[in-house]
Amino acid sequence: MELEGVLLGMGNPLLDISAVVDDEFLQKYDIKLNNAILAEDKHKSMYDEMSAKFNVEYIAGGATQNSIKIAQWLLQVPGATSYMGCIGKDKYGEEMTKNSKLAGVNVHYYEDENTPTGTCAVCVVGGERSLIANLAAANCYKSEHLKKPENWALVEKAKYFYIAGFFLTVSPESIQLVAEHAAANNKIFTMNLSAPFICEFFKDAQEKALPYMDFVFGNETEARTFSKVHGWETDNVEEIALKISQWPKASGTHKRITVITQGADPVCVAEDGKVTLFPVILLPKEKLVDTNGAGDAFVGGFLAQLVREKPIKECVRAGCYAANVVIQRSGCTYPEKPDFE
């Protein structure tokens, strides 16, 4: 099976500024654990304060980019994955490019001359993370970049697409172009609910993309928010997963499968009108470093098997393996070689 360029991701490339902080810091900046938000004015000073006050690590991140790198790591075929997004022409941007190329991902960044590379504060307390993203250059991605022949060639070549819901705030038109291409060419288009605020405040953009989604990923909090926003009056994750899988589709070639993770609880997979639960690999609390990138890693592991046309059970198993590796390390990082059987 020809794997080169098989998987293409598009999203917001961000440099994670990660630190173990304290409750006082969370309160000061009104931060809730296990959440992901966009930075507001009140958050502007927190990045410098984190660097000054806590032991900070800089890790190349951004949800989609994390998933693509994990898939690349598991596939172990150079250039099996590609990625597009917007960075600044600066030190952080150069680091990001170097990091991604080392990871074996074929990156085609759009470089914005006037805006710095985006950053994401990762605040960790008791192993749980909260994300506050300052998109900066990541917010400047334009569909004109996607349409350039050398970039559109990546779309033509790919058979699978993954875009985190976060990209709906940046370039819905790029998402639409790729989604329509996938539907017209019987390719697999996948997205993530990504965060409660996406389901709440970008509901229209999300609904426009949903008919094209062959796989919908998310966690239990996002699923419940999606349910609330659509007036479904249920908090039952299995019911919600089922309802999302039954949402009308743009193309009848592939059915939709919904995959919802629930932290230490089983992964919930809805397809063909039924739900299957898959237990995760449980980790003793003392081995947990932080949950940053756990959901991204799950998706990356899942996709690495999906592109090899493995059964869903194997995709979930690989997703759980990748998430288990990542939560024992800081940020979405991994050892040199996977030992997934």
Side-chain angles (χ1 to χ4, degrees):
M1 201 186 147
E2 171 61 39
L3 284 174
E4 198 195 327
V6 70
L7 173 63
L8 171 64
M10 296 182 75
N12 303 335
L14 303 172
L15 188 78
D16 282 357
I17 301 173
S18 178
V20 175
V21 302
D22 50 31
D23 287 323
E24 190 189 345
F25 187 82
L26 296 184
Q27 276 158 355
K28 178 176 178 180
Y29 289 103
D30 191 23
I31 299 165
K32 294 179 185 65
L33 285 176
N34 206 9
N35 199 9
I37 59 170
L38 293 177
E40 297 168 40
D41 284 339
K42 66 181 178 188
H43 299 115
K44 289 288 188 266
S45 63
M46 70 177 281
Y47 298 87
D48 288 338
E49 188 179 330
M50 269 177 87
S51 305
K53 225 174 167 177
F54 305 104
N55 185 14
V56 169
E57 281 187 272
Y58 296 90
I59 306 160
T64 307
Q65 187 162 245
N66 284 342
S67 297
I68 293 297
K69 282 200 321 215
I70 290 282
Q72 178 61 48
W73 172 63
L74 276 166
L75 285 165
Q76 291 286 309
V77 174
T81 63
S82 309
Y83 175 80
M84 286 187 249
C86 185
I87 58 174
K89 250 187 153 48
D90 53 19
K91 181 171 98 263
Y92 286 169
E94 282 170 26
E95 273 299 303
M96 189 94 74
T97 308
K98 196 174 87 183
N99 181 290
S100 301
K101 285 185 173 163
L102 269 175
V105 179
N106 180 16
V107 288
H108 283 214
Y109 293 125
Y110 170 55
E111 284 189 358
D112 189 286
E113 303 270 344
N114 311 310
T115 323
T117 296
T119 50
C120 181
V122 181
C123 301
V124 179
V125 173
E128 295 290 319
R129 62 90 176 124
S130 190
L131 310 175
I132 304 91
N134 179 19
L135 295 182
N139 203 29
C140 301
Y141 189 84
K142 306 278 184 291
S143 57
E144 290 78 60
H145 177 261
L146 173 65
K147 289 174 188 164
K148 284 185 174 168
E150 65 272 27
N151 299 324
W152 190 253
L154 299 180
V155 178
E156 294 280 356
K157 183 148 199 184
K159 296 186 176 73
Y160 295 80
F161 302 96
Y162 175 64
I163 303 176
F166 294 119
F167 204 53
L168 288 164
T169 77
V170 172
S171 188
E173 59 280 14
S174 298
I175 295 175
Q176 200 63 25
L177 285 168
V178 172
E180 286 172 4
H181 167 86
N185 294 278
N186 292 340
K187 294 178 176 184
I188 304 279
F189 181 76
T190 72
M191 281 192 78
N192 203 311
L193 300 177
S194 287
F197 86 87
I198 298 287
C199 303
E200 286 179 286
F201 306 114
F202 294 87
K203 176 173 178 264
D204 295 350
Q206 193 177 51
E207 281 184 6
K208 196 175 173 204
L210 194 57
Y212 294 94
M213 298 180 207
D214 300 307
F215 284 81
V216 176
F217 296 98
N219 69 21
E220 74 279 43
T221 319
E222 295 148 9
R224 289 185 177 122
T225 306
F226 189 94
S227 171
K228 193 176 86 191
V229 166
H230 290 89
W232 287 350
E233 292 180 356
T234 177
D235 255 355
N236 181 309
V237 172
E238 296 179 37
E239 273 178 55
I240 298 163
L242 214 46
K243 283 175 101 83
I244 293 174
S245 72
Q246 289 161 343
W247 194 283
K249 285 209 75 207
S251 132
T253 317
H254 307 289
K255 60 186 177 185
R256 181 180 303 109
I257 299 177
T258 314
V259 184
I260 306 294
T261 59
Q262 309 186 81
D265 292 326
V267 177
C268 172
V269 177
E271 63 173 320
D272 297 330
K274 61 181 192 295
V275 172
T276 315
L277 295 176
F278 297 92
V280 302
I281 309 160
L282 293 173
L283 186 75
K285 185 86 173 127
E286 64 273 12
K287 281 194 168 177
L288 173 69
V289 174
D290 70 53
T291 55
N292 179 25
D296 301 337
F298 175 85
V299 173
F302 189 102
L303 293 172
Q305 296 302 307
L306 189 70
V307 303
R308 290 186 184 275
E309 298 174 3
K310 294 286 195 281
I312 295 300
K313 188 179 162 192
E314 282 304 290
C315 297
V316 173
R317 194 168 74 83
C320 291
Y321 162 79
N324 184 263
V325 167
V326 161
I327 61 177
Q328 296 183 64
R329 304 167 68 92
S330 183
C332 196
T333 60
Y334 41 82
E336 196 184 338
K337 289 271 188 282
D339 58 357
F340 177 69
E341 293 301 320

